[in-house]
């Protein structure tokens, strides 16, 4: 196995808006900076594909700024462990990479939240973000009927994108009640960029029914999804579809900060005004600290990058703008809060943990996530509890179980940490377990 | 449970669970307390190998008797326990180790333990993933594998026992009392006829001075790669060096789970209190495993973790009355053999309580063997 070593003053993990901004502003002020990301392209999830085919002006602007900043991009590097202070291990197609850092900025973003309901494991039931990524990568949806359901602003954005690739969208089903969304929309005047985006999108969406206050009760089909049963809490009806894109907003990817020991509060990494976590030299930005979107991440990334580069004054100048986006994030969170009825969607036999095929009934008997893992295998599989852990947090209020390396499944040989010429193995003893 | 229990057991790991089961089967009422969930300590951290061992006659007697109890129990074990009689394959890398295979084979055969001696080609055929050129091996046919937390849960919660066993997880015990009861962390006193300290590596917290030390071990589990190996495979190479009881050590040991996952061990360290991963030890442990299984490095690893065994100075557990009080029993110090020897530990406790003849001679395991100072309770 190949094993390479790199060393930088500042390492940034995650090449979405927050990571790009952090790496760019820090590198512009000197010092060696590296940006690591597990994908081949800059942009992260939200600006996926922008490096290859720019469409969003601001994405292009930040990608160009990053490329001119002097920071080094280390792509297709999945950070999976931190064996010692100041050291990260990453797996790359070429082998294992050891990266040393003096300071670290984590911008690992968020993933979709999936909640179990009858039929959610049928082929053809997918996450909206995941579907969008597949479609951008060339997976054909032209002419297919895609019901988009769940919650959050992502639903509209995805439906809009899918339509441009020729999909038919019979319905967008948003669980949040209309009254809450209306309150959110009237608050958008504070955020002119968001408002113009929303208006533009809504215009394109003319003709697509967008309904608030409804959600899927179950997906049905023989081999794969053929229809979805929707409800408004009073009555239920059926909509035929070829795909059901269902996601319930976002959950932060806190695995790496937790592995490093960063303290959390309410499921997010706790940071101070300079985006510093509880661990010295480790900053966190973007969705790790609150679900507030790409604009918040851009400002937070700049603040963290400037702070790391010792430019506290310049960082401070951005506090007011960050505060604006934090308010936006808080409004977003209130508007799209999940309704309690969703906790009752999964029946006793509905699978909660897909990797290990564990039903709600088996999980529900347990007192917490750790007990569920020990006694039902919930969360023991290759997704490492990413899907079921977030679901059981919502369903039962369980905190996530302790985190262990590797943060992503990696080749066993990638776990080797010593150099290839380290001391020989000796002192063998009793080999029993 | 309305009245005071006959027996209060501290520790809902596999040993405490086996003690509770045997006592309940004997008609006693049992209360089991644990500060965590059932099987959440050493039981959750270990491999779950049911193996006959012959480091000493006493170790053989204990492991052989207990393995028989597991075989008797096997038909009633639910699927979640993942009982798999896959056997152990002790691999010999050279002729010196092969001599040990023959010695071990003779010892086991004389005592009725089913074994097969494999020559080099047979080992290669039995486990094609092993590196070529092994001298041979010893297959111990009836050794098995279980998933320990589910096994502990079954022992405590199987239908026949639930009437007599009450389990209270999440309850911390502050003291084990000489009158056979315990005092909880919140000050509550629980009365019972006999208290059993089955707290494994944490047992000295309730019995200061007890010669039980934490011995840390690391494990790595892979994603599902069914058929990569078929037996629990363990190296015989450890015989080349003295049985270290002080130095950090690693040895090749791999377990195929029923799920198709591979569990990779093993390591031993004294003086390492935390359960964080020691990257140097993990490194040595994996390199040792790669020497035996060159393809292992390309499998997908899901998790690495560390836990603690409860080690004693003479590598035998402490099973029997404490020197402080005959109403305090010790059932601890099982080191790496706690899953295997849990059932016989429970049986010996029940034999004692009921005044039955013990299943095997108990003297080698009595706490008194380690001297009075060793079991003094502050």
């Amino acid at each position: 196995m190949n094993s390479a070593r790199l060393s930088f003053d500042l390492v940034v993990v995650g090449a979405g808006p927050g990571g790009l901004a952090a790496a760019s502003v820090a590198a512009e002020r000197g010092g060696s900076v590296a940006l690591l990301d597990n994908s081949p392209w800059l942009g992260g999830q939200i600006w996926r594909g922008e490096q290859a085919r720019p469409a969003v002006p601001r994405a292009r602007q930040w990608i160009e700024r990053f490329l001119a900043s002097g920071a080094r991009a280390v792509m297709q590097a999945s950070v999976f462990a931190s064996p010692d202070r100041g050291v990260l291990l990453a797996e790359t197609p070429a082998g294992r990479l050891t990266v040393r850092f003096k300071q670290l900025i984590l911008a690992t973003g968020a993933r979709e939240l999936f909640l179990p309901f009858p039929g959610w494991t049928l082929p053809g039931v997918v996450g909206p973000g995941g579907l969008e990524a597949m479609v951008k990568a060339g997976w054909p949806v032209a002419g297919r009927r895609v019901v988009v359901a769940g919650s959050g602003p992502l639903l509209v954005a995805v439906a809009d994108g899918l339509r441009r690739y020729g999909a038919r969208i019979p319905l967008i089903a948003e669980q949040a009640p209309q009254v809450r969304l209306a309150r959110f929309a009237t608050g958008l005047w504070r955020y002119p960029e968001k408002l113009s985006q929303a208006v533009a999108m809504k215009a394109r969406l003319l003709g697509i029914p967008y309904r608030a206050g409804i959600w899927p009760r179950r997906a049905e089909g023989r081999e794969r999804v053929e229809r979805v049963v929707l409800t408004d809490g009073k009555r239920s009806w059926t909509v035929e579809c070829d795909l059901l894109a269902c996601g319930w907003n976002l959950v932060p990817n806190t695995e790496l900060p937790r592995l490093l020991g960063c303290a959390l509060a309410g499921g997010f990494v706790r940071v101070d005004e300079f985006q510093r976590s509880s661990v010295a030299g480790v900053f966190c930005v973007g969705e790790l600290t609150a679900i507030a979107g790409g604009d918040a991440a851009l400002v937070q990334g700049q603040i963290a990058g400037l702070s790391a580069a010792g430019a506290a004054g310049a960082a401070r100048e951005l506090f007011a703008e960050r505060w604006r986006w934090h308010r936006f994030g808080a409004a977003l969170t209130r508007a799209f809060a999940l309704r309690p009825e969703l906790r009752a969607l999964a029946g006793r036999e509905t699978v909660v943990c897909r990797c290990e095929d564990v039903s709600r009934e088996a999980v529900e008997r347990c007192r917490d996530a750790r007990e569920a893992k020990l006694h039902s295998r919930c969360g023991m599989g290759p997704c490492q509890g990413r899907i079921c852990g977030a679901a059981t947090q919502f369903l039962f209020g369980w905190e996530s179980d302790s985190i262990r390396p590797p943060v992503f499944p990696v080749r066993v040989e990638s776990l080797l940490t010593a150099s290839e010429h380290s001391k020989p193995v000796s002192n063998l003893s009793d080999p029993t377990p | 449970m309305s009245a005071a229990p006959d027996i209060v057991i501290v520790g809902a790991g596999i040993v405490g669970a086996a003690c509770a089961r045997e006592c309940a089967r004997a008609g006693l009422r049992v209360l089991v307390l644990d500060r965590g969930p059932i099987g959440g300590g050493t039981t959750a951290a270990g491999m779950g190998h049911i193996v006959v061992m012959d480091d000493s006659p006493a170790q053989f007697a204990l492991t052989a008797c207990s393995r028989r109890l597991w075989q008797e129990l096997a038909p009633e074990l639910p699927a979640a326990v993942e009982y798999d009689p896959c056997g152990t394959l002790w691999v010999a890398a050279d002729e010196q180790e092969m001599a040990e295979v023959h010695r071990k084979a003779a010892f086991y055969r004389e005592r009725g333990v089913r074994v097969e001696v494999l020559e080099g080609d047979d080992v290669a055929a039995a486990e094609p993933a092993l590196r070529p050129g092994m001298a041979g091996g010893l297959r111990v046919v009836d050794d098995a594998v279980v998933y320990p937390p589910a096994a502990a849960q079954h022992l405590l919660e199987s239908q026949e026992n639930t009437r007599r066993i009450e389990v209270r997880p999440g309850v911390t015990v502050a003291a084990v009392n000489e009158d056979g009861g315990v005092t909880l962390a919140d000050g509550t006193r629980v009365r019972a006829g006999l208290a059993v300290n089955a707290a494994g590596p944490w047992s000295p917290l309730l019995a200061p001075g007890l010669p039980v030390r934490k011995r840390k071990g690391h494990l790595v589990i892979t994603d599902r790669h069914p058929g990569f190996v078929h037996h629990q495979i363990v190296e015989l190479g450890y015989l080349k060096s003295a049985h270290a009881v002080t130095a950090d050590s690693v040895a090749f040991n791999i377990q195929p789970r029923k799920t198709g996952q591979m569990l990779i061990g093993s390591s031993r360290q004294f003086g390492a209190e935390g359960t964080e991963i020691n990257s140097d030890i993990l490194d040595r442990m994996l390199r040792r495993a790669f020497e035996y299984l060159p393809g292992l490095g390309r499998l997908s690893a899901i998790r690495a973790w560390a836990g603690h065994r409860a080690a004693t100075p003479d590598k035998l557990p402490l099973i029997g009355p404490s020197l402080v009080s005959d109403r305090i029993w010790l059932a601890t110090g099982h080191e790496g053999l706690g899953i295997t020897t849990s059932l016989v530990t429970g049986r010996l406790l029940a034999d004692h309580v009921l005044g039955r003849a013990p299943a095997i001679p108990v003297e080698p395991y009595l706490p008194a063997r380690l001297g009075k100072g060793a079991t003094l309770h502050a």
Side-chain angles (χ1 to χ4, degrees):
Chain A
M1 184 191 66
N2 286 318
S3 187
R5 285 155 188 277
L6 296 170
S7 188
F8 301 93
D9 295 326
L10 174 67
V11 168
V12 182
V13 181
L20 279 172
S24 301
V25 301
E28 284 162 4
R29 277 163 182 76
S32 60
V33 178
L35 176 61
L36 275 61
D37 194 279
N38 56 10
S39 84
W41 300 101
L42 298 170
Q45 297 294 335
I46 192 165
W47 289 342
R48 178 188 288 270
E50 290 293 325
Q51 190 180 8
R53 291 183 307 277
V56 178
R58 204 145 39 133
R60 193 175 70 189
Q61 175 204 326
W62 273 104
I63 289 170
E64 282 171 0
R65 183 167 171 185
F66 169 80
L67 293 173
S69 71
R72 175 164 169 192
V74 182
M75 306 312 289
Q76 290 184 277
S78 302
V79 176
F80 65 87
S82 176
D84 286 303
R85 215 179 163 81
V87 182
L88 296 177
L89 298 182
E91 190 171 64
T92 74
R96 217 268 317 284
L97 192 63
T98 304
V99 186
R100 295 192 168 274
F101 62 84
K102 292 185 186 135
Q103 296 186 95
L104 178 66
I105 298 177
L106 299 177
T108 50
R111 57 178 176 266
E112 294 180 273
L113 172 63
F114 297 106
L115 295 178
F117 56 88
W120 76 293
T121 55
L122 277 173
V125 181
V126 294
L131 180 61
E132 185 178 43
M134 282 161 61
V135 169
K136 279 187 179 176
W139 198 72
V141 284
R144 306 183 78 177
R145 297 163 303 174
V146 187
V147 170
V148 179
S151 196
L154 187 69
L155 300 186
V156 182
V158 168
D160 177 47
L162 293 175
R163 232 166 62 129
R164 277 188 276 128
Y165 284 91
R168 288 155 54 199
I169 315 288
L171 179 69
I172 300 174
E174 164 61 58
Q175 61 87 35
Q178 181 60 47
V179 56
R180 266 202 261 135
L181 294 184
R183 213 177 294 142
F184 175 68
T186 56
L188 278 178
W189 63 266
R190 292 182 218 272
Y191 312 96
E193 304 93 309
K194 289 278 157 191
L195 192 62
S196 64
Q197 277 176 29
V199 169
M201 211 168 266
K202 201 172 172 190
R204 281 203 297 278
L205 280 170
L206 276 177
I208 301 181
Y210 178 95
R211 291 193 54 188
I214 62 172
W215 60 93
R217 273 183 67 178
R218 62 180 179 272
E220 294 176 343
R222 276 188 308 275
E223 304 286 306
R224 49 179 296 112
V225 66
E226 291 166 17
R227 71 198 79 85
V228 53
V229 177
L230 296 163
T231 182
D232 58 6
K234 295 188 190 77
R235 57 183 201 93
S236 296
W237 64 98
T238 299
V239 177
E240 305 285 320
C241 63
D242 303 306
L243 290 165
L244 169 61
C246 185
W248 307 91
N249 223 335
L250 301 171
V251 282
N253 292 320
T254 57
E255 288 75 16
L256 191 55
R258 281 159 56 209
L259 188 72
L260 290 160
C262 300
L264 265 57
F268 294 93
V269 181
R270 209 179 66 212
V271 289
D272 70 5
E273 56 182 353
F274 291 104
Q275 303 292 140
R276 290 182 294 214
S277 77
S278 64
V279 176
V282 179
F283 299 73
C284 290
V285 304
E287 315 284 29
L288 282 178
T289 65
I291 300 297
D295 296 290
L298 275 174
V299 186
Q300 292 173 344
Q302 292 176 73
I303 290 171
L306 291 167
S307 306
R316 220 179 272 281
E317 284 171 22
L318 296 168
F319 285 3
E321 192 187 346
R322 180 180 56 190
W323 181 76
R324 214 163 72 94
W325 290 116
H326 280 184
R327 284 192 48 173
F328 173 74
L332 205 61
T333 301
R334 278 194 302 276
F336 294 100
L338 296 180
R339 54 175 67 237
E341 293 98 314
L342 301 175
R343 292 197 176 90
L345 285 181
R348 291 171 56 200
E349 284 162 23
T350 305
V351 164
V352 171
C353 170
R354 300 180 74 149
C355 299
E356 297 292 331
D357 218 12
V358 185
S359 68
R360 176 181 183 134
E361 189 176 20
V363 172
E364 213 164 28
R365 284 198 293 263
C366 304
R367 293 179 309 156
D368 55 32
R370 175 162 159 74
E371 193 173 312
K373 190 167 162 181
L374 285 177
H375 294 161
S376 74
R377 302 189 59 85
C378 178
M380 292 271 245
C383 96
Q384 299 172 313
R386 278 183 171 71
I387 295 172
C388 59
T392 57
Q393 192 158 17
F394 175 72
L395 290 178
F396 312 122
W398 292 347
E399 291 304 314
S400 332
D401 191 20
S402 64
I403 188 93
R404 289 169 176 143
V407 165
F408 292 97
V410 293
R411 292 185 297 274
V412 177
E413 63 190 5
S414 291
L415 297 177
L416 297 179
T417 51
S419 78
E420 311 304 309
H421 309 292
S422 68
K423 59 194 122 170
V425 174
S426 57
N427 307 331
L428 298 174
S429 81
D430 194 347
T432 50
Chain B
M1 199 172 288
S2 47
D6 298 308
I7 298 198
V8 58
I9 295 172
V10 185
I14 193 84
V15 172
C19 289
R21 174 178 186 267
E22 285 289 342
C23 291
R25 276 158 52 99
L28 302 169
R29 283 165 312 150
V30 186
L31 174 64
V32 183
L33 306 173
D34 197 298
R35 62 181 179 181
I38 293 171
T42 300
T43 300
M47 266 186 155
H49 189 195
I50 295 170
V51 55
V52 174
M53 293 286 289
D54 65 339
D55 278 1
S56 64
Q59 190 190 55
F60 175 80
L62 200 69
T63 53
C65 177
S66 207
R67 194 190 68 175
R68 185 171 50 75
L69 296 175
W70 277 109
Q71 285 176 285
E72 289 168 15
L73 186 66
E76 75 168 65
L77 293 175
V81 176
E82 298 176 36
Y83 181 84
D84 183 7
C86 60
T88 302
L89 179 64
W90 296 86
V91 286
D94 55 28
E95 288 311 315
Q96 193 187 346
E97 290 176 15
M98 204 51 202
E100 172 61 11
V101 163
H102 290 296
R103 187 206 63 76
K104 220 174 165 74
F107 182 92
Y108 282 168
R109 281 192 184 120
E110 280 166 24
R111 289 158 183 80
V113 175
R114 288 204 295 165
V115 292
E116 292 167 12
V117 173
L118 305 186
E119 299 303 326
D121 291 349
D122 303 330
V123 168
E127 294 291 357
L130 281 169
R131 75 164 188 262
M134 286 290 161
L138 180 72
R139 196 158 90 89
V140 184
V141 180
D142 298 312
D143 283 354
V145 158
V146 291
Y147 175 57
Q153 189 177 22
H154 174 76
L155 295 174
L156 290 170
E157 296 182 348
S158 67
Q159 211 61 39
E160 61 163 335
N161 295 331
T162 44
R163 282 184 300 120
R164 296 201 184 90
I165 300 176
E166 182 191 352
V167 186
R168 288 168 62 190
V171 173
T172 303
V173 172
V176 175
N177 303 325
E178 293 180 19
D179 64 1
V182 299
T183 305
L184 306 185
D186 66 7
T188 311
R189 286 179 79 96
V190 176
R191 293 154 60 91
L194 183 74
V196 178
N197 181 347
W202 302 278
S203 52
L205 294 175
L206 300 170
L210 197 69
V212 170
R213 292 168 71 197
K214 285 185 178 176
R215 203 169 192 193
K216 186 170 175 175
H218 289 73
L219 288 174
V220 171
I221 194 157
T222 71
D223 199 352
R224 298 179 181 209
H225 299 280
F228 180 71
V229 299
H230 309 279
H231 303 82
Q232 175 125 10
I233 311 178
V234 191
E235 65 165 300
L236 273 168
Y238 75 104
L239 294 159
K240 282 182 176 166
S241 68
H243 280 206
V245 289
T246 49
D248 295 348
S249 65
V250 298
F252 163 57
N253 186 337
I254 190 167
Q255 177 178 92
R257 306 289 319 165
K258 252 191 172 170
T259 56
Q261 293 173 292
M262 300 292 141
L263 194 48
I264 308 162
S266 62
S267 73
R268 285 180 151 74
Q269 284 171 278
F270 279 121
E273 282 291 311
T275 55
E276 75 286 349
I277 303 283
N278 177 314
S279 45
D280 182 49
I281 294 282
L282 183 71
D283 203 82
R284 288 166 55 193
M285 182 182 100
L286 291 176
R287 282 178 202 280
R288 189 72 188 169
F290 296 167
E291 286 176 27
Y292 282 84
L293 293 167
L296 182 60
R298 289 186 293 279
L299 268 49
S300 175
I302 296 183
R303 266 189 312 281
W305 70 92
H308 288 105
R309 309 172 182 87
T312 63
D314 64 357
K315 307 178 78 178
L316 289 172
L318 299 167
I319 307 170
S322 104
L323 295 195
V324 174
S325 162
D326 59 7
R327 295 180 71 176
I328 299 176
W329 253 60
L330 297 171
T332 182
H334 294 73
E335 224 271 6
L337 292 168
I339 309 303
T340 300
T341 57
S342 57
L343 295 186
V344 73
T345 300
R347 180 64 58 91
L348 291 176
L349 169 64
D351 290 342
H352 166 82
V353 172
L354 298 177
R356 299 187 302 220
I360 55 171
V362 296
E363 287 71 22
Y365 322 110
L366 292 177
R369 75 180 187 275
L370 293 174
K372 202 168 175 72
T375 46
L376 269 185
H377 192 148

